[in-house]
Amino acid sequence: MFSKVLIANRGEIALRVLRACKELGIKTVAVHSTADQDAMHVRLADESVCIGPPPSRDSYLNIHQIVAACEITGADAVHPGYGFLSENAKFADILDAHGITFIGPTADHIRLMGDKITAKKTAVSLGIPCVPGSDGEVFDVEQAVKVAEETGYPVLIKATSGGGGKGMKVAYNAEELPQALSTARSEALANFGNDAVYMEKYLGRPRHIEIQIMGDGEGNAVHLGERDCSLQRRHQKVWEEANSPSLNENQRMEIGEICAAAMRKLKYRGAGTVEFLYENGEFFFIEMNTRLQVEHTITEAITGIDLVNEQIRIASGGGLSMTQEDIRFHGHAIECRINAEDPVSFIPSPGTITHYHPPGGLGVRVDSGVYQGYKIPPFYDSLIGKLIVHGRTRVECMMRLRRALDEFVVDGINTTIPLFRDLLANPDIANGDYDIHWLEKFLAAKAKK
Ligand code: ADP
């Protein structure tokens, strides 16, 4: 087992990793920018190192500073959390060259899945069902028109290096195609430094369903069921649930086993998520994330398995702690992402939290690094915490969520808490009857009122 882990992240996920390390008796090193010196992950870590000024590229994305921090503190492993360097193959390679363990998959697997065209080709070869579309990169309008005629309109142009919903454009007909192609291309270049794009059929009413997998790197892998992340705004997840209200046990085990079998073939190491769109009983692969996800907590709630503990165990060579037969799903869990944003305009709302009271009680978990008097810096993602609620049934879970939201006090800034109260009052949400476009329509209708 490792003796000291450096956590190359900030906010709630840095705290999440720190907790797993503490329970394993591993010493922790926090890194932070000058804007984060008062952050909770810095306060709770055994040691901390300032790695640069506020902009992420100068601190949390600064590989040399992070490696130097490992050497100064003698950390033998790095947990990257999510975002930042968590899917950066170069970072994994550099750590390896320095004899420091990257808690995650191999650099080759990160590369394989980081390029979405390659990821889709790999998925096809592993027997994972994919969204119909172009066979690789789309170079010009002529080719795009051909692909669109085969799949049918509307089509979606996507960046092969895409992430966070950027570099995606829909074309509803041939007239819109040239513009969509050039906009997607320039957005991709501006955001990811790579203008390669590909095409998919644009699905009208799908749900976003993703499978959590875990592999030991030796050819053993399990799945831990699915998460339904269909409630999205601008392709960003807002509310997630496990299990999905739309799958039954057989469907769950079938798609789960397809993913686990693929990971066995790949000899995948660590935690990963295989993302699908699900429409009319069919699954279509869209991408794989080779890291821990924000919403891993709901899987933890229904399986009782600590996924970060498992990641650390695997990275240290201890293998998987469970077989597929050991994994059972209990009850229902929902996660609400609490963002420091105006709940109507979604404009970020950094500033000082003047009063803070998180909810508690049976089945309620709050993962957050904030506290009363904490000043949210304006430089980073607006996610300030996650409320995770577990119940024996979906109905119990929703009743508990309503109660927990009522208890939650965050004063001094705007948060998305009121949005979740609105969602809970909606019959479609109560019935679990929603797709990936539902939330945008709901918000648009609310704005008109
Ligand atoms: P990113 O890496 O930017 O998050 P994804 O490929 O994971 O990109 O897609 C993000 C979201 O965009 C999905 O959850 C879904 O809401 C939407 N999306 C992606 N592909 C399609 C598609 N073919 N049809 C309809 N919506 C899609």
Side-chain angles (χ1 to χ4, degrees):
M1 191 43 84
F2 306 118
S3 56
K4 202 184 267 187
V5 168
L6 182 140
I7 303 161
N9 216 300
R10 65 180 301 281
E12 68 85 19
I13 196 60
L15 214 55
R16 168 71 192 88
V17 174
L18 191 146
R19 286 176 173 144
C21 291
K22 287 211 164 173
E23 290 180 17
L24 284 163
I26 301 171
K27 292 259 179 285
T28 52
V29 180
V31 292
H32 65 92
S33 70
T34 50
D36 274 343
Q37 60 206 19
D38 296 324
M40 195 56 103
H41 75 279
V42 178
R43 292 186 179 187
L44 289 183
D46 295 300
E47 291 170 73
S48 63
V49 181
C50 180
I51 50 165
S56 303
R57 63 174 182 282
D58 300 324
S59 48
Y60 297 104
L61 291 171
N62 187 333
I63 294 179
H64 295 295
Q65 286 285 35
I66 293 170
V67 173
C70 288
E71 303 215 304
I72 293 164
T73 57
D76 45 6
V78 170
H79 194 301
Y82 52 68
F84 293 132
L85 296 169
S86 61
E87 291 175 295
N88 187 312
K90 194 174 125 203
F91 183 52
D93 274 337
I94 291 175
L95 287 178
D96 196 40
H98 284 78
I100 303 161
T101 305
F102 175 76
I103 301 177
T106 61
D108 285 345
H109 282 157
I110 298 175
R111 267 187 209 103
L112 187 72
M113 294 301 170
D115 180 277
K116 294 187 176 194
I117 292 176
T118 317
K120 265 188 101 167
K121 286 190 173 155
T122 309
V124 172
S125 74
L126 292 169
I128 297 176
C130 287
V131 189
S134 59
D135 182 26
E137 195 175 339
V138 172
F139 298 95
D140 53 39
V141 176
E142 205 176 300
Q143 188 194 353
V145 170
K146 250 198 197 145
V147 175
E149 276 166 4
E150 278 162 28
T151 59
Y153 286 95
V155 290
L156 187 61
I157 323 278
K158 297 172 87 170
T160 190
S161 314
K166 294 199 184 89
M168 261 195 255
K169 286 281 160 278
V170 188
Y172 286 90
N173 50 54
E175 287 71 57
E176 289 180 12
L177 205 46
Q179 183 66 48
L181 191 63
S182 73
T183 320
R185 228 185 243 299
S186 46
E187 242 180 59
L189 187 64
N191 284 291
F192 314 108
N194 175 2
D195 74 351
V197 296
Y198 63 108
M199 275 169 72
E200 277 178 0
K201 181 166 179 57
Y202 182 68
L203 302 175
R205 292 209 59 202
R207 300 181 78 110
H208 173 116
I209 294 183
E210 56 185 37
I211 308 295
Q212 175 71 54
I213 58 89
M214 195 62 92
D216 66 357
E218 309 283 332
N220 300 302
V222 294
H223 74 86
L224 293 105
E226 85 282 13
R227 295 182 287 258
D228 193 318
C229 313
S230 303
L231 287 175
Q232 302 181 351
R233 179 179 169 270
R234 301 200 172 158
H235 306 300
Q236 302 270 12
K237 298 160 190 168
V238 170
W239 148 310
E240 300 101 347
E241 7 189 343
N243 300 313
S244 170
S246 65
L247 289 195
N248 64 36
E249 184 67 13
N250 285 342
Q251 290 169 305
R252 168 168 313 114
M253 295 316 274
E254 194 179 320
I255 190 67
E257 185 45 38
I258 288 174
C259 295
M263 295 305 127
R264 281 177 211 127
K265 271 193 229 160
L266 267 186
K267 290 206 163 88
Y268 186 80
R269 183 182 74 208
T273 300
V274 188
E275 296 195 336
F276 294 93
L277 294 176
Y278 174 76
E279 194 173 62
N280 301 328
E282 269 187 280
F283 285 94
F284 304 100
F285 171 85
I286 45 173
E287 67 164 341
M288 175 168 178
N289 292 321
T290 52
R291 56 169 167 85
L292 189 69
Q293 306 260 114
V294 176
E295 61 275 18
H296 74 280
T297 55
I298 51 175
T299 300
E300 293 184 326
I302 61 163
T303 60
I305 294 164
D306 180 332
L307 294 181
V308 181
N309 175 303
E310 201 68 28
Q311 282 187 299
I312 297 171
R313 182 193 157 100
I314 291 166
S316 72
L320 279 167
S321 75
M322 67 223 154
T323 63
Q324 192 65 55
E325 290 68 43
D326 298 328
I327 301 165
R328 294 273 177 275
F329 305 105
H330 300 283
H332 194 87
I334 296 176
E335 174 180 274
C336 297
R337 297 193 187 199
I338 316 290
N339 288 349
E341 287 171 356
D342 182 285
V344 178
S345 67
F346 295 94
I347 291 169
S349 176
T352 302
I353 297 181
T354 54
H355 193 71
Y356 181 69
H357 177 80
L362 179 64
V364 176
R365 164 177 174 184
V366 176
D367 274 20
S368 174
V370 309
Y371 53 88
Q372 194 151 314
Y374 175 69
K375 193 168 175 204
I376 298 163
F379 310 104
Y380 311 106
D381 193 274
S382 59
L383 181 80
I384 58 159
K386 306 181 307 204
L387 169 61
I388 305 104
V389 174
H390 183 233
R392 285 173 303 176
T393 60
R394 188 167 185 268
V395 170
E396 186 176 89
C397 184
M398 294 196 38
M399 285 163 68
R400 188 162 283 157
L401 178 57
R402 185 171 300 118
R403 187 272 291 170
L405 287 166
D406 282 346
E407 272 178 40
F408 215 150
V409 180
V410 187
D411 286 345
I413 57 157
N414 290 319
T415 75
T416 44
I417 291 173
L419 169 67
F420 297 113
R421 295 199 182 110
D422 280 359
L423 290 178
L424 276 172
N426 187 283
D428 289 345
I429 300 295
N431 296 328
D433 182 16
Y434 54 81
D435 58 44
I436 60 166
H437 307 299
W438 187 94
L439 184 60
E440 296 274 7
K441 285 183 204 150
F442 171 81
L443 293 171
K446 219 172 79 166
K448 265 195 208 148
K449 274 186 200 156

